[in-house]
Amino acid sequence: MRVARVVAGRVGELAIVFLGVTFLIYAAVWALPGDPIAALGGDRPLPPNVVAELRERFHLDEPLWQQYLRYLGGLFTGDLGTAFDGRPVAERMASRWPVTITLALTAWVIEVVLGVLLGLWAGLRKDTAIDRTILFGTILATSIPIFVVGVTVQLVFGLQLGWAPIAGTDAGWPVAYLLPALVIAVFGLASIARLMRGSVIDSMESDFVRTLRAKGIPRSRIVGVHVTRNSVAPVLTFVAIDLGFLLGGAVVIEGIFNLPGIGQLLFSAIRTQEGPTVVGVATTLILIFLALNVLVDIINSALDPRIRHD
């Protein structure tokens, strides 16, 4: 019953967030300067009657609030809208999901494994040169914009050293995904390392560790069994939610590395003012992120009875 109450409460809260965020995105997309229908003709302007017909077909002649309500009604039936080329947005996204999911999961595994190991290493060597180096590296990593890291990695490791392809997915997994996944993983890796370091330090200074030492338990067993298990728990929430950020963060990187995923679709749709596609992709990413939030709350509530959501 407690878990059910948590789920009901969180779903209600996130429904309000979903409505607010999607309306802001919808309004922002359709408030962009320029006429997306007129832009379809390129250098040759479309006849006025064709423009009027297309605006009516895509309901662009209606007030913004009415367009948004119509879009919401379609969402409840699984309709993400129709692109200007006549194809459903969901159909355009379907073929691109495998690339984005593969990229996100690869980056997720990299950041979890390296982040936990670096955080554990730094926490066990508090205030040493290793600890300070890891802290400096994580701060530096999160201070550089992702597109700067992406272009730099592409130039150095792709073009100059030739360690991995710089574009496309022809080489398959993991070769084609390694560089872009590393770029995306850097930011989450830095956060996980700092969280893990703090948890390890707290655990090592806790009473239960002092008790284990007094009983003569070997340090390797204390760290490997007790400290690591207790330190990983606070990181789990961040790790689960970060998967949603990885899906969204793939937008810029897929554009830089020319990966035919959801991010590249959104990137190209923004450049061509393909409003229905931008709104459809953004809505899907929001739904995934909110669903992960609910999932994290369910897991936390089930595993830790002390957690209460009032």
Side-chain angles (χ1 to χ4, degrees), residues 18-283:
F18 173 77
L19 292 174
V21 173
T22 52
F23 178 76
L24 289 175
I25 291 175
Y26 195 93
V29 168
W30 295 113
L32 290 174
D35 188 348
I37 297 298
L40 294 176
D43 296 332
R44 301 180 60 182
L46 297 174
N49 61 323
V50 174
V51 173
E53 181 181 349
L54 289 174
R55 289 185 64 84
E56 181 180 359
R57 180 186 302 178
F58 291 100
H59 309 289
L60 299 180
D61 54 344
E62 299 175 354
L64 182 64
W65 65 268
Q66 193 171 341
Q67 296 179 43
Y68 177 69
L69 290 179
R70 186 185 298 276
Y71 177 71
L72 276 184
L75 285 180
F76 289 113
T77 62
D79 181 11
L80 292 173
T82 303
F84 289 148
D85 61 2
R87 293 176 58 194
V89 174
E91 181 181 312
R92 297 188 66 186
M93 295 172 61
S95 61
R96 295 174 176 263
W97 274 119
V99 173
T100 296
I101 292 174
T102 302
L103 176 62
L105 289 178
T106 303
W108 192 64
V109 171
I110 291 173
E111 72 175 31
V112 170
V113 173
L114 293 183
V116 169
L117 291 178
L118 287 175
L120 180 62
W121 195 17
L124 294 176
R125 290 160 176 79
K126 178 185 175 183
D127 295 331
T128 64
I130 292 175
D131 180 32
R132 288 190 287 270
T133 300
I134 292 176
L135 278 178
F136 174 77
T138 57
I139 294 173
L140 179 64
T142 54
S143 302
I144 305 175
I146 189 171
F147 68 89
V148 175
V149 178
V151 173
T152 303
V153 167
Q154 191 180 47
L155 177 64
V156 174
F157 296 100
L159 287 177
Q160 295 182 354
L161 298 178
W163 289 359
I166 61 172
T169 58
D170 293 340
W173 186 89
V175 177
Y177 292 88
L178 189 57
L179 283 186
L182 281 171
V183 174
I184 300 175
V186 163
F187 299 89
L189 185 157
S191 299
I192 291 174
R194 289 199 297 269
L195 283 172
M196 186 68 183
R197 173 188 177 273
S199 296
V200 169
I201 292 174
D202 289 341
S203 296
M204 291 297 292
E205 296 175 351
S206 62
D207 292 335
F208 84 90
V209 170
R210 283 193 286 268
T211 302
L212 292 173
R213 287 172 175 167
K215 290 181 177 181
I217 305 296
R219 175 182 169 85
S220 59
R221 180 173 176 80
I222 293 175
V223 172
V225 177
H226 301 282
V227 172
T228 302
R229 184 177 59 188
N230 283 275
S231 301
V232 167
V235 180
L236 293 179
T237 299
F238 175 85
V239 166
I241 295 177
D242 192 54
L243 185 57
F245 281 112
L246 289 176
L247 291 171
V251 174
V252 176
I253 296 304
E254 286 184 5
I256 293 175
F257 286 87
N258 196 28
L259 300 176
I262 296 295
Q264 189 197 55
L265 176 64
L266 179 59
F267 189 77
S268 61
I270 292 173
R271 287 190 305 171
T272 58
Q273 293 187 335
E274 176 65 55
T277 302
V278 174
V279 174
V281 173
T283 299

